Amino acid sequence: MNELVEKIDELYVAFKMDAAAQIEKGNKTAGTRARKASLEIEKLLKEFRKESLEASK
């Protein structure tokens, strides 16, 4: 589960940088990367939720 949290953290940092680049500079490519990262984060968060429920049993 630690690896999963680390992956989420790494993707969030990348998302945050790309989203900021899109907002501040109008960088469309960074916006595309941010959207892609958000989809990956969503998948990992679902997996985290699943694993955390199993760990609490």
Side-chain angles (χ1 to χ4, degrees):
M1 190 133 111
N2 288 334
E3 290 178 27
L4 185 58
V5 172
E6 288 175 11
K7 286 181 185 178
I8 292 168
D9 188 45
E10 289 173 12
L11 280 172
Y12 181 72
V13 169
F15 165 79
K16 189 174 176 181
M17 287 176 32
D18 288 333
Q22 181 186 17
I23 293 168
E24 295 169 5
K25 300 175 185 173
N27 187 331
K28 291 181 181 181
T29 305
T32 300
R33 288 191 304 266
R35 287 188 296 277
K36 185 176 179 182
S38 73
L39 293 173
E40 288 297 316
I41 292 169
E42 180 184 20
K43 290 176 189 176
L44 292 175
L45 287 174
K46 287 179 181 181
E47 188 175 332
F48 173 79
R49 186 171 54 236
K50 180 182 171 186
E51 286 186 21
S52 67
L53 287 173
E54 290 174 0
S56 67
K57 288 183 182 180

